[in-house]
Amino acid sequence: MNVTIPINEMQKKPGAERKRKILIVEDEFVNREILIAILDAEYEIIAVGSGTEAEASLLSLSREISLVLLDLNLPDRHGLDILREMKENPLTAKIPVIVLTSDKEAEVESLNIGAIDFIPKPYPIPKVVQARVKRTIELSEDRDLIRETECDHLTGLYTREYFYRYAEQYDVFHPDVPTDALVLDVNRFQMINERFGKQYADQVLIRIGQAIVASVGEAGGIACRRSADTFLVYCPHLTDYHAFLDAIIAAACGDDKGRIRIRLGVSAETEKTVEMQTRFDRAKIAADTVRGSFTDCIAFYDNAMHEKEIYDERLLDEFPRAIAEKQFAVYFQPKFDVRPDTPVLCGSEALVRWIHPELGMISPGVFIPLFENKGLIRMLDRYVWRETVSQIAAWKKQFGRTVPVSVNVSRIDMLDPDLVETLRDLVINGGLDFSDLHLEITESAYTENARQIIDTVNQLQKIGFVIEMDDFGSGYSSLNMIATLPIDVLKLDMVFIRSVFRENGNLRMLKVIVEIAETLSVPMIAEGVETAEQLNTLREMGCDMVQGYYFSAPKPAADFEKFIREWLQIKEPKSVLKEVEVC
Ligand code: C2E
Ligand code: CA
Ligand code: CA
């Protein structure tokens, strides 16, 4: 029998909330009527008297039912079997169930199967029944809401915040299980997005998410999508992750074998006393060590990385004091125009060094990437630019004229909305011409955030700054793109020079690059030139300028002055002699 108490829609106030539906499964007429009487003012009731009817209602109304009140003794089925089937069926598993019973034993069993609560028979006073029903529905709806916010919409994995919380909970309940923190990163995901489209890229992420769940779910692991293409996994310790990663890459690639590469960093058997986020930061450090590698895709966080982490922490801590105490020194490396028979000084590059009172001279290769990651680079670069501007001004004052100096502009600086103004003010306040200060902007900055960066560089170029594209050949700019970029000088990446001049190196690539520079009608400069052979080959091929140890390593300002003096002597022998005498 199916007794439905209809709601009179017309009686509802406009905008009033729709009544929630409760399914009462109870075969005894009197008991059923009592429950209906207790609840029908607040809820829309569907009341049935058998297991078969209950199943039918559940299947047809699974999305609408907010609660099931389930009697265990039914004429055709046992209530516990209905409960079990409900919990096994994804359509009905989430509907909360309160069991109606006079059997104390059955209470425990029904809670174990998945009932939320029970109401004993004979029924308690109406207010108690109403309160239990209300609370159960509220709790279940809250849980659904949490489920919505705790899951990433694309992949269904946890979001970062909830993931850390659940990972911590995992430790509380499994204090003795050794666990691993994993970071999975898709290599060059941006390129997948650009080349194959967002829809394809989303499918890749969904497939990765599913594969991760399939691989670690059974072992009790949990997973989240931390950002666009980075996944975190917390799971019981494994010694070998090759099969795991192979399965995920296979799933990510779908039918197009070999298109997608994923790197995996593992912080194995994590120390439970270390903060959860730090454990994943460590896995990320490990993953980044195999960023560009084509052979190793898995890296474990180890002692050396730990030492480096401690060292990096120290540098970060000491940075403010180092700036205040001017521990950063700007060195200058000359650039030579190699078109004339005798190379002529044509500029220099400002390169920062940290002269640390205890650690000695620290190379920028060590701290620049760190400061870029931790947001300190802007402050350091501003410092270097200020120091460079004062040095150029001092040379101009001392010698009457000087060669232009280029400063490095980090890709992070390029995102600063005040960059153009900052650089303009520096030059004007320093009493320089815009052509005195060149800006080196790395090629990869252009590819990372093309539109905004091109706009900014255009503005800088319009003001009068000379723009040198640094590390050319290391990024992935297409020829089409380069042709539209605001560039005044192409600066060839040193790694590129190294590979060209290695044994059996291929000079044809170099020729192509020189041709690109010619097509764009911009001069080309090669850096990292160490030998006469390299210099001569570059010259023959049509390279315009050269920078490297062949001429000089970067020098402190006082030592660099000798190059300015020599240059002035060639240009204006008399005035320099006068200058030198004065000195
Ligand atoms: P970069 O801009 O590509 O600078 C060239 C690097 O090559 C410099 O290393 C220079 O000392 C080195 N080098 C020059 N000639 C030769 C050579 O013939 N052989 C070899 N093996 N190396 C040569 P350095 O000074 O260690 O700087 C490393 C990187 O740090 C720079 O690469 C640049 O990306 C960054 N950097 C340096 N100073 C600054 C700065 O003030 N701001 C920013 N944002 N980055 C900086
Ligand atoms: Ca540079
Ligand atoms: Ca460079």
Side-chain angles (χ1 to χ4, degrees), residues 7-130:
I7 340 167
N8 182 350
E9 288 291 329
M10 301 305 289
Q11 281 176 357
K12 284 175 70 182
K13 284 186 230 139
E17 229 181 283
R18 208 167 53 82
K19 282 186 174 179
R20 278 138 176 99
K21 282 195 177 94
I22 295 180
L23 174 67
I24 297 177
V25 188
E26 167 67 88
D27 63 325
E28 281 174 45
F29 179 75
V30 175
N31 279 342
R32 196 166 61 220
E33 287 305 310
I34 294 174
L35 283 178
I36 293 172
I38 294 175
L39 298 169
D40 83 330
E42 283 287 318
Y43 302 96
E44 179 182 337
I45 307 291
I46 303 155
V48 297
S50 71
T52 321
E53 286 170 317
E55 271 172 16
S57 301
L58 278 168
L59 285 183
S60 61
L61 298 168
S62 64
R63 286 176 178 280
E64 296 165 39
I65 293 173
S66 296
L67 175 69
V68 175
L69 296 178
L70 179 64
D71 176 28
L72 293 187
N73 292 318
L74 296 167
D76 55 343
R77 305 277 314 268
H78 195 288
L80 287 183
D81 291 334
I82 298 179
L83 178 60
R84 208 170 278 118
E85 279 167 20
M86 272 184 76
K87 293 297 148 190
E88 280 165 5
N89 184 346
L91 281 177
T92 51
K94 287 176 191 153
I95 305 175
V97 177
I98 294 181
V99 161
L100 312 167
T101 180
S102 50
D103 176 358
K104 283 260 168 247
E105 290 291 306
E107 278 168 14
V108 179
E109 200 178 347
S110 53
L111 290 176
N112 280 338
I113 298 175
I116 298 275
D117 202 352
F118 57 87
I119 295 177
K121 287 185 190 180
Y123 298 136
I125 55 168
K127 276 194 174 159
V128 172
V129 174
Q130 284 161 351

Side-chain angles (χ1 to χ4, degrees), residues 402-451:
T402 188
V403 287
V405 181
S406 63
V407 288
N408 288 284
V409 181
S410 155
R411 61 190 171 81
I412 309 286
D413 297 314
M414 296 305 302
L415 306 174
D416 175 2
D418 299 330
L419 178 74
V420 177
E421 208 181 328
T422 307
L423 284 165
R424 186 180 46 211
D425 290 353
L426 262 176
V427 169
I428 293 172
N429 297 338
L432 302 188
D433 298 322
F434 285 104
S435 56
D436 289 329
L437 193 68
H438 291 197
L439 306 176
E440 292 195 11
I441 300 168
T442 181
E443 181 195 355
S444 57
Y446 286 91
T447 38
E448 262 171 35
N449 206 330
R451 230 357 323 135

